[in-house]
Amino acid sequence: MKTKFGKYLENFMLKNNYTLEYISKETDASISIVGHYRKGIRIPKDEFVEKFIKKFINIDKEKNYIRYIVAYDRTPELIKKLSIKNNSI
């Protein structure tokens, strides 16, 4: 299952014609980790998110959106289901 951040990162890379190697170099993360984030295999740690935002994102609204989707990805599925059921999200 692809994460929201994984979808975001994949689209961001395609839109800007960035490679895993470039994102890896600019965020000081391994290529395999960035690949796992993009595929949704892993959820990024705060350190990566903040380095990514600092390097690539200039718009405050987009910075907040990235932080939100990472937090959402970290939320357990049971809570997501209950929140959606109760229209909390």
Side-chain angles (χ1 to χ4, degrees):
M1 176 160 119
K2 194 128 186 167
T3 61
K4 288 186 180 292
F5 182 77
K7 291 175 189 173
Y8 174 87
L9 183 59
E10 185 171 43
N11 289 331
F12 177 83
M13 291 174 66
L14 288 171
K15 182 174 97 175
N16 294 292
N17 203 28
Y18 291 153
T19 62
L20 287 174
E21 291 81 4
Y22 181 70
I23 299 289
S24 169
K25 179 182 171 206
E26 296 300 317
T27 58
D28 197 30
S30 72
I31 294 170
S32 64
I33 289 292
V34 176
H36 286 178
Y37 295 159
R38 188 183 74 184
K39 290 180 181 177
I41 295 170
R42 295 180 70 173
I43 298 169
K45 295 183 179 191
D46 289 337
E47 181 181 357
F48 174 85
V49 172
E50 294 308 318
K51 284 182 180 181
F52 177 82
I53 287 172
K54 184 175 182 178
K55 177 63 185 175
F56 297 108
I57 309 301
N58 296 319
I59 303 166
D60 286 339
K61 187 174 182 178
E62 190 168 358
K63 292 176 184 180
N64 291 334
Y65 175 73
I66 292 168
R67 290 179 182 115
Y68 169 80
I69 61 174
V70 170
Y72 181 84
D73 288 339
R74 291 177 181 160
T75 303
E77 289 301 315
L78 177 61
I79 294 172
K80 289 178 190 176
K81 288 176 185 175
L82 291 173
S83 295
I84 291 170
K85 184 177 178 181
N86 295 324
N87 295 320
S88 300
I89 293 181

